[in-house]
Amino acid sequence: MRVAQLAKAAAVSAETVRHYTDLGLLRPSREPHNGYQNYSADDLQRLRFIARARRLGFSLKDIQVILARADDGGEHCGEVRDLLGERLQALQAHIDECQRLALVMRNALDEWADKPHCAPDGRAICRLIEDFEPPLDSRPPTPCPAH
């Protein structure tokens, strides 16, 4: 199978196939006469596995480790379970932080509702932000990253 065929069979983009190949997650053979990459049924299985693992929240580094252990014939399902538990815990902490930040933002918008617009005057950049007092019991909010 060529890149486009593999991508179509796994419902991913050709760029994704090339990226995973560059990372060593897929290992196509090379045609000796033209250098084209040929992907096997094993590559299709690996690609589908990678797609499922990504949908579960595993990083590409996690997947590299899992595939390396599988290639070595080692038992790794317990490690996968533990790793997913860690990812879930981290995700929940991130959700909690985003919810906390959303509350701080709602409070700021409520507080700013009746305040006038103003231009920087040499003493202030934006009075809305400079006059806002975040909750004392919280650390500075961090923006939630876009995914």
Side-chain angles (χ1 to χ4, degrees):
M1 252 180 292
R2 299 275 166 76
V3 170
Q5 294 166 314
L6 181 67
K8 185 176 179 179
V12 300
S13 70
E15 290 78 22
T16 297
V17 171
R18 288 184 189 97
H19 181 61
Y20 293 168
T21 300
D22 290 344
L23 293 175
L25 298 172
L26 302 174
R27 295 174 291 210
S29 61
R30 290 253 180 213
E31 289 186 18
H33 62 282
N34 60 18
Y36 288 165
Q37 294 176 325
N38 269 328
Y39 294 89
S40 66
D42 287 342
D43 289 311
L44 178 58
Q45 178 187 16
R46 287 171 76 92
L47 184 54
R48 287 178 174 157
F49 173 86
I50 294 165
R52 284 188 182 109
R54 295 290 287 152
R55 285 192 301 272
L56 276 166
F58 289 103
S59 70
L60 289 176
K61 287 187 183 231
D62 295 336
I63 294 167
Q64 284 176 316
V65 170
I66 294 166
L67 288 173
R69 292 239 166 74
D71 291 343
D72 290 342
E75 196 291 317
H76 55 279
C77 287
E79 291 176 35
V80 168
R81 188 179 295 114
D82 293 344
L83 187 55
L84 186 60
E86 291 170 17
R87 295 294 176 262
L88 178 58
Q89 203 170 20
L91 176 62
Q92 190 59 57
H94 181 72
I95 290 168
D96 294 346
E97 176 67 11
C98 287
Q99 288 175 332
R100 189 188 69 72
L101 178 57
L103 180 61
V104 170
M105 289 175 163
R106 276 193 286 281
N107 291 340
L109 285 173
D110 289 346
E111 187 177 308
W112 296 348
D114 298 325
K115 292 196 176 194
H117 296 277
C118 60
D121 60 7
R123 294 183 316 269
I125 297 169
C126 177
R127 292 227 179 261
L128 295 176
I129 292 174
E130 292 166 335
D131 293 344
F132 180 69
E133 288 297 328
L136 294 176
D137 62 338
S138 67
R139 61 195 174 282
T142 54
C144 295
H147 293 286

